[in-house]
Amino acid sequence: IIEKQKELSDAEPFRKVKREILELTSKLAGGVRSLDRFSGVIKTTREKAAKKSAALAKLEEKKQEMKKYDLDKDGKLSRKEVIAYCKAVIQFELGAETLDKIMKSLEP
């Protein structure tokens, strides 16, 4: 049996099959590494998309809230609108100096 085994291992077809198996094993390992990399990229991309979606939703919520207080619908809050917003949302009455600073920072 040992002689037959040695005979087979010396045969060209046996060596050819052995080389092919080694090549396929190497390709398979490379494919597994690529899949691992791609799954990491996909995970990161999904996380970024979820964060962006949440940020956009929050931004839209803030825009809608500001639209409620933009009575003249000009896209900006006037002095009266800022005062109304502060009273309604944060229950705070602004002083004239503070309101002046806010209005100055809102100007383009």
Side-chain angles (χ1 to χ4, degrees):
I1 293 177
I2 295 174
E3 286 179 26
K4 274 291 195 191
Q5 189 177 19
K6 189 174 182 179
E7 231 178 84
L8 284 175
S9 66
D10 290 339
E12 180 60 32
F14 178 79
R15 287 193 302 257
K16 183 179 176 185
V17 169
K18 189 173 180 179
R19 274 193 310 271
E20 288 176 359
I21 289 173
L22 290 173
E23 287 174 18
L24 290 174
T25 303
S26 175
K27 286 182 182 181
L28 182 61
V32 169
R33 284 190 301 272
S34 292
L35 283 175
D36 286 343
R37 268 194 315 267
F38 290 136
S39 68
V41 169
I42 289 170
K43 181 180 178 187
T44 302
T45 303
R46 282 185 180 158
E47 289 170 355
K48 284 181 182 179
K51 286 179 182 178
K52 186 174 183 177
S53 177
L56 289 173
K58 190 172 186 175
L59 178 64
E60 186 59 32
E61 182 182 312
K62 295 287 184 186
K63 283 182 181 181
Q64 292 303 318
E65 185 176 334
M66 293 306 277
K67 280 183 182 180
K68 286 194 298 190
Y69 295 96
D70 184 16
L71 301 176
D72 57 5
K73 306 296 182 207
D74 65 349
K76 301 181 244 176
L77 294 180
S78 66
R79 290 179 78 80
K80 288 181 183 179
E81 293 166 342
V82 169
I83 292 169
Y85 175 81
C86 286
K87 282 182 183 178
V89 175
I90 54 177
Q91 292 88 33
F92 183 76
E93 195 158 326
L94 291 173
E97 190 177 306
T98 306
L99 182 59
D100 289 339
K101 286 180 182 178
I102 290 172
M103 295 310 294
K104 187 174 182 177
S105 72
L106 293 176
E107 291 176 2

